[in-house]
Amino acid sequence: MRRILVAGNWKMNGSKTSIGHLLGGIVSGLAQVSDVDVLVCPPFPYLAQVQGLLVGTNVALGAQNASEHPPGAFTGEVAVEMLTDFGCEYVIVGHSERRALYGETDAQVAHKFETVQSAGLTPILCLGETLEERESGVTETVVARQLDAVLERVGVKAIADAVVAYEPVWAIGTGRTASPDQAQAVHAFIRARVAGHDTQVAQALRILYGGSVKGGNAQELFGKQDIDGGLIGGASLQADDFLAICHAAH
Ligand code: 13P
């Protein structure tokens, strides 16, 4: 049985004040929820603040990105050792915004995945097609290529200690959610592709859906056989919206 995971990706949003309010609301609203794993991924400068606010709660801490390199002369980058220093347990790897806006390649994402995992952190590997790719019927080809780059680098056993997030680019921040059936179809495809290497790893793998998840659509999405939770952007920035999603999972 896979536990549902609800992860908030705050992207480049927040301030010391707003984060204090947001987390206060989330933590108190989650006191009764024990059967769902919850995680927040703040921007780097707020990791210390969030780490402090999460002590003694059932909410885990993650980062939105990490360098594939060890500490050294990489101006502007953040090493995985720094993330563990601040109590991070998860790192989002290969988010479509990183791929599209910062040119992260499949090979670089696979390298980041390996670096994150070797520091004892859990990678959340994001996969997903653009609208153009979906409309030209190559969704599975794209998702398979992104997944295979990681499988080839680290092997299927490494996937056992990771999380995958399917995030169709056309559904991110657009209000246009993939239908539960559309999402389920790609999740089943991803699981089957992992099963081609190792069926046990595939059965245990948590595959999150991301892209305009809200309180109103979460329950139907999470009810699908191969959808094991969500990676939430916009709706993770308001405590009530995020809690509605966590409660839908519960
Ligand atoms: P939205 O929930 O704002 O569509 O963002 C999804 C996402 O990109 C999470 O990583």
Side-chain angles (χ1 to χ4, degrees):
M1 188 65 187
R2 299 181 295 265
R3 267 172 79 86
I4 294 276
L5 171 63
V6 178
N9 173 10
W10 294 352
K11 307 193 178 181
M12 197 171 73
N13 293 292
S15 65
K16 282 199 272 188
T17 307
S18 72
I19 285 172
H21 289 306
L22 174 59
L23 272 185
I26 291 174
V27 165
S28 59
L30 281 177
Q32 282 84 33
V33 179
S34 59
D35 53 354
V36 178
D37 291 335
V38 178
L39 157 74
V40 293
C41 303
F44 291 135
Y46 301 105
L47 285 175
Q49 181 195 3
V50 174
Q51 180 189 25
L53 291 168
L54 293 183
V55 170
T57 73
N58 50 2
V59 179
L61 180 61
Q64 299 174 17
N65 184 28
S67 172
E68 66 273 40
H69 300 296
F74 298 98
T75 302
E77 292 291 295
V78 174
V80 289
E81 290 82 352
M82 299 168 185
L83 301 178
T84 50
D85 214 9
F86 284 95
C88 286
E89 295 177 64
Y90 295 82
V91 184
I92 298 171
V93 173
H95 191 280
S96 64
E97 286 150 17
R98 304 276 338 151
R99 294 177 190 261
L101 303 174
Y102 301 98
E104 288 190 9
T105 61
D106 292 336
Q108 190 181 5
V109 170
H111 192 178
K112 286 189 178 207
F113 184 104
E114 185 178 49
T115 305
V116 163
Q117 206 162 45
S118 45
L121 293 154
T122 302
I124 301 178
L125 171 66
C126 298
L127 314 172
E129 81 288 2
T130 62
L131 183 58
E132 195 184 3
E133 288 163 342
R134 172 158 285 259
E135 287 177 345
S136 31
V138 295
T139 296
E140 292 188 354
T141 313
V142 170
V143 168
R145 190 200 71 223
Q146 294 170 336
L147 177 64
D148 289 356
V150 175
L151 283 169
E152 280 159 25
R153 180 158 186 135
V154 299
V156 70
K157 294 291 184 207
I159 299 284
D161 298 316
V163 174
V164 169
Y166 169 57
E167 297 205 309
V169 177
W170 48 273
I172 295 178
T174 57
R176 185 177 164 190
T177 322
S179 72
D181 287 339
Q182 276 176 321
Q184 163 60 26
V186 181
H187 282 233
F189 171 77
I190 293 168
R191 199 177 304 285
R193 196 154 185 99
V194 175
H197 298 264
D198 188 314
T199 50
Q200 279 184 339
V201 169
Q203 269 319 306
L205 177 66
R206 289 198 283 194
I207 308 176
L208 314 183
Y209 168 77
S212 300
V213 179
K214 307 268 180 275
N217 58 25
Q219 197 165 12
E220 209 186 340
L221 284 161
F222 299 166
K224 290 289 176 186
Q225 193 184 342
D226 290 296
I227 302 183
D228 308 309
L231 184 54
I232 320 299
S236 70
L237 297 172
Q238 297 291 336
D240 288 350
D241 294 343
F242 190 62
L243 286 169
I245 295 168
C246 297
H247 286 123
H250 161 73

